Structure formats: C-alpha cells, structure tokens
Amino acid sequence: MSIQPTEPVEEARLADLARLLTNRDRAIVADLGDHRVMTTHHLTALHFARTHPSRARRRLAFLHRLGVLDRFRPRLALGTAPWHWVLAAAGEHVYADIHELPEPAQRPGSRIRLAHSARLAHTLGLSACYTAFRTAERTTPEAALLRWRTEAECARRWGRHIRPDAYLLWAQDGRELGAFLEYDTGTERHAQLLRKIRGYTDHAAAYQRTTHVLFVVATRVRLASLAQALAPHTGDRVDVHLTTESLLHQHGPAHPVWSPAPTPREHLRLSAIGTHDH
C-alpha cells in the first residue's frame, strides 16, 4: 500500500499544475472527486478506452508524482489487487477549481482513509456501476447517460424520504428512463431493504409519480431471494428491477439484463421499463 503524506499545496504549484494538466486529466480528477475511489481498470475504461492500457498506467503514475492522485492496494488472500486511486492534496484543489468552489470540500488527504474503510467494497461497486453505464453509452448506438447523481447528491436532493446510492437518467431507443440505483453487497437484511422500499413509496406519493428502482446484486441466488421479498411491495408507485454484477459487467446495462421483481425470470432492456424523470 502506498500512502503519501499530506502537504500544503502552494499557489505557485497549483499554477504549474494548471499548465501541466490536460482536459482528460481534469476529467479523471472530476470522476475521482465524485466517486471517491476508482481502480486503474475503471479509469482506463472511462478515459483511455481508445488507447493501449499502458498509456493509462503511465499517465496515472505521472499524476501521482505530481501529487494530484494518491493510491493504495488492498491486501488480498490470493493474487494482487489493482491500484486504487483517490484524490491527493493537489487533486482536491483541482477538483474545487473544476466546480468553482472557494476551497476543497474534502480535507486534502482524507480520502486515503478509504484504504481501511468498511465501505470500500460498496464504494468500488458503485464506481464499477458508473463505469458500466458510461461504457454502454460509448458502445451502444443512440444511447446516452444523460445524468448521474452520486450518493451524496441524492442525499442532498431527496434525503427526506430516500437515500439511494445513485440516480441515473438513461436514453435509448428514443425513450428515457429515470431510476434510482441501489448497489447491494448482500449484507443488508430483507427487512432493511423493505424499509427502503417504503421510503421510495413515500417519495413517489410526494412527487405523484412512479418511482423506478434498479438493484444490482452479487449473485443469482441473492437476486431470486430479494425479488421474492420485494415483489409484494411493488406496484404502480414503486417499480423494482434487478440484475447481477456479472450480467451488468459482462453484457452491459443497455442489454436485456433487468428482471422485474414480480417476474425475475424475465429480462428487459432499460428502454422497456418506462419513461420517467425526477
């Protein structure tokens, strides 16, 4: 694991960075600022899809030397984990500049705590979901991810009733679907998830519209059990569809990988689920 000490970032150094960073570098900083941690694989798929992977590794290493990015490798029982990237001190300042913030929203260096966080797997899972949707947007004709709101954005916007992991607005086949995303690691009991569905029901009633919820789960077994538990609580107000991580990443979210909770053996495209916006 590589963790660099946090140092103050001088204005002269930030000015030098402004000359050194490319638009792609700033896009990398923007994604890491939004999603907190991403692996080399995520960043390669998002920002270096049309180049050799070695170019991504070299550029990320360069940003690391500049103090824009920091990195760590979780310990695995077998094999070696890829580098996990977060914003370093200079990266926090660049992110604040991108969003025209008066100062960094995160204390420089604080994101490295994710190396030891119990939420690391959940955060990485969400980053992988975001990467899958962006990849599908690039590889699917006439498809677009029009909007993606992070967990923090969702909490600020809808925290009264719901705390989704993300919100997305997807366009495909001439239709648009607005949906909340729940990334399920399998640790929450069905009772906890049913409370979430009740929150979505309250949200739907408050906004007088159908709320679409997409669950990404770890296994087919989890999908079947979750669909059985949630199906009686879905209907006109709350519409739940599920997929597994393997289906999402193997085929992509634009393909028919989404199963309605009441009929989990059925597989639909997002464009077949409905049209909605929030």
Side-chain angles (χ1 to χ4, degrees), residues 6-8 58 77 81 89 105 122 150:
T6 301
E7 298 177 355
R58 288 196 300 270
H122 186 267
T150 64

Coordinates of all heavy atoms in Angstrom, one line a residue, residues 6-8 58 77 81 89 105 122 150:
T6 N 0.4 14.1 3.6 CA -0.4 15.3 3.1 C 0.5 16.5 3.4 O 0.9 16.8 4.5 CB -1.7 15.4 3.8 OG1 -2.5 14.2 3.5 CG2 -2.5 16.6 3.3
E7 N 0.7 17.3 2.3 CA 1.4 18.6 2.5 C 0.6 19.7 2.0 O -0.2 19.6 1.1 CB 2.7 18.5 1.7 CG 3.7 17.4 2.1 CD 4.9 17.3 1.3 OE1 5.0 18.0 0.3 OE2 5.8 16.5 1.6
P8 N 0.8 20.9 2.5 CA 0.1 22.1 1.9 C 0.4 22.3 0.5 O 1.5 22.0 0.0 CB 0.6 23.3 2.8 CG 1.2 22.6 4.0 CD 1.7 21.3 3.6
R58 N 0.8 4.8 -17.3 CA 1.8 5.9 -17.3 C 1.3 7.2 -16.8 O 1.9 7.9 -16.1 CB 2.5 6.0 -18.6 CG 3.4 4.8 -19.0 CD 4.3 5.2 -20.2 NE 3.6 5.5 -21.4 CZ 3.2 4.6 -22.3 NH1 3.4 3.3 -22.1 NH2 2.5 5.0 -23.4
A77 N -6.1 -12.2 -0.2 CA -5.7 -13.5 0.2 C -4.9 -14.2 -0.9 O -3.9 -14.9 -0.7 CB -6.9 -14.4 0.7
A81 N -4.2 -7.0 -6.0 CA -5.3 -6.0 -6.4 C -4.7 -5.0 -7.3 O -3.5 -4.6 -7.2 CB -5.9 -5.4 -5.1
A89 N -3.8 15.8 -2.2 CA -4.0 17.2 -1.8 C -4.2 18.1 -3.0 O -5.1 18.9 -3.1 CB -2.8 17.7 -0.9
A105 N -13.7 20.8 -0.8 CA -14.8 20.3 0.1 C -14.3 19.2 1.0 O -14.8 19.0 2.1 CB -16.0 19.8 -0.8
H122 N -18.4 -1.3 -1.1 CA -19.6 -0.6 -1.6 C -19.2 0.5 -2.5 O -19.8 0.7 -3.6 CB -20.4 -0.2 -0.4 CG -21.8 0.4 -0.8 ND1 -21.9 1.8 -1.0 CD2 -23.0 -0.2 -1.0 CE1 -23.2 2.0 -1.4 NE2 -23.9 0.8 -1.4
T150 N -24.6 11.3 -7.7 CA -23.9 10.4 -6.8 C -24.8 10.3 -5.5 O -25.8 10.9 -5.3 CB -22.6 11.0 -6.4 OG1 -22.8 12.3 -5.7 CG2 -21.7 11.2 -7.6

